[in-house]
């Protein structure tokens, strides 16, 4: 089984809808991250969490919110989706012994019509 | 601002040839980590190779090696005996001391039969 899982893997929604993307990990890592990937722009950090009580904004947090429900779960929400949030979203984790390596989930492709 | 630049948006080489992907970065930090990630059509982010800035020896992983030039802030990836399965998007990434990874915009590599 995969160490970092994301649900759903693909989602099509309409403008104005609330969407939640979920991430779970079995690696026992304390740090979790959400990234967005757009063609030609690489990955950009949306939010990150170093433990359950710690939430931090990344480069592009506007229009997004997160919840760290447990050490193993980190959800990303789009309160009112808009078409320019159409992208590929990745969750990642890091933890001991090396916080400098991040392990990525399989990605969620979100399309906002 | 800390940045990662990949100057080659797209490259093509014949199978079995050697190819080098370029990456430069900008930072005032002295201790950091550098990575190359591979993203095949399956879109999974796969760690290819890692380099620790305090190590002068270039990292190698089978057919993959890096040329790390700390003074020049350069971190190129060499793929020897390229294979069709190496066709992917390749991202150079950098983690400074605060543990937020910064990605380049990627190089799309095509291995031609």
């Amino acid at each position: 089984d995969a160490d970092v899982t994301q649900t759903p893997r693909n989602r099509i929604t309409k403008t104005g809808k609330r969407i939640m993307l979920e991430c779970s990990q079995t690696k026992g890592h304390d740090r979790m991250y959400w990234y967005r990937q757009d063609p030609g722009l690489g990955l950009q950090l949306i939010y990150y969490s170093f433990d359950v009580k710690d939430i931090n904004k990344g480069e592009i947090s506007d229009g997004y919110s997160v919840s760290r429900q447990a050490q193993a779960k980190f959800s990303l929400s789009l309160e009112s989706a808009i078409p320019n949030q159409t992208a590929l979203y990745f969750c990642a984790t890091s933890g001991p012994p090396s916080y400098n390596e991040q392990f990525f989930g399989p990605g969620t492709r979100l399309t906002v019509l | 601002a800390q940045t990662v630049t990949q100057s080659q948006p797209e490259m093509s080489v014949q199978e079995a040839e050697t190819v080098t992907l370029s990456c430069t970065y900008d930072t005032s930090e002295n201790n950091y980590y550098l990575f190359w990630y591979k993203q095949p059509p399956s879109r999974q982010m796969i760690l290819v190779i890692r380099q620790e800035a305090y190590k002068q020896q270039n990292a190698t992983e089978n057919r993959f090696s890096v040329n790390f030039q700390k003074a020049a802030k350069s971190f190129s990836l060499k793929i020897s005996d390229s294979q069709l399965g190496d066709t992917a998007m390749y991202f150079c990434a950098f983690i400074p001391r605060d543990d937020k990874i910064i990605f380049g915009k990627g190089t799309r590599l095509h291995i031609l039969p």
Side-chain angles (χ1 to χ4, degrees):
Chain A
D1 288 341
D3 295 320
V4 184
T5 57
Q6 293 183 231
T7 55
R9 294 293 310 277
N10 295 280
R11 180 73 183 268
I12 300 173
T13 190
K14 295 181 178 180
T15 298
K17 294 291 187 180
R18 184 179 188 274
I19 295 296
M20 179 180 286
L21 308 183
E22 299 187 352
C23 177
S24 295
Q25 51 112 349
T26 58
K27 299 188 73 67
H29 286 171
D30 46 349
R31 298 184 181 182
M32 298 186 74
Y33 310 79
W34 274 106
Y35 294 93
R36 167 180 171 155
Q37 184 181 15
D38 296 280
L41 291 180
L43 277 75
Q44 297 174 281
L45 183 62
I46 306 173
Y47 271 96
Y48 62 103
S49 169
F50 282 179
D51 64 43
V52 175
K53 297 180 181 179
D54 176 78
I55 301 289
N56 303 282
K57 293 182 177 180
E59 308 167 65
I60 55 164
S61 58
D62 287 349
Y64 302 94
S65 62
V66 291
S67 173
R68 185 82 183 265
Q69 302 95 321
Q71 186 187 38
K73 296 184 182 296
F74 192 35
S75 299
L76 175 72
S77 293
L78 288 67
E79 297 300 326
S80 179
I82 55 177
N84 75 4
Q85 292 178 312
T86 293
L88 187 55
Y89 290 85
F90 284 99
C91 174
T93 73
S94 67
S98 173
Y99 285 100
N100 295 296
E101 181 174 350
Q102 295 193 6
F103 296 83
F104 286 82
T108 294
R109 183 168 297 284
L110 177 66
T111 302
V112 183
L113 301 176
Chain B
Q2 297 175 117
T3 58
V4 176
T5 301
Q6 294 181 248
S7 59
Q8 304 148 313
E10 195 160 2
M11 299 180 71
S12 296
V13 296
Q14 293 294 136
E15 190 177 8
E17 289 185 350
T18 294
V19 60
T20 299
L21 281 59
S22 301
C23 174
T24 58
Y25 58 94
D26 187 24
T27 184
S28 58
E29 301 282 344
N30 192 46
N31 294 321
Y32 48 87
Y33 293 79
L34 294 157
F35 303 86
W36 278 97
Y37 281 90
K38 170 185 178 180
Q39 187 181 39
S42 66
R43 78 193 190 201
Q44 179 73 45
M45 292 289 286
I46 302 166
L47 179 65
V48 174
I49 200 164
R50 167 175 50 187
Q51 176 79 42
E52 298 163 3
Y54 63 86
K55 290 187 176 179
Q56 291 186 334
Q57 186 174 5
N58 288 326
T60 61
E61 289 287 343
N62 300 313
R63 296 182 296 108
F64 298 87
S65 61
V66 298
N67 183 5
F68 174 48
Q69 301 289 331
K70 190 173 183 180
K73 298 179 182 175
S74 172
F75 183 61
S76 61
L77 175 70
K78 185 172 81 170
I79 306 174
S80 303
D81 186 26
S82 57
Q83 301 174 358
L84 297 178
D86 296 332
T87 291
M89 195 78 170
Y90 286 81
F91 292 98
C92 180
F94 159 82
I95 295 186
R97 203 169 39 180
D98 64 4
D99 278 350
K100 288 180 290 183
I101 195 168
I102 301 166
F103 285 90
K105 294 183 178 181
T107 295
R108 187 172 299 281
L109 178 64
H110 302 276
I111 307 300
L112 306 173

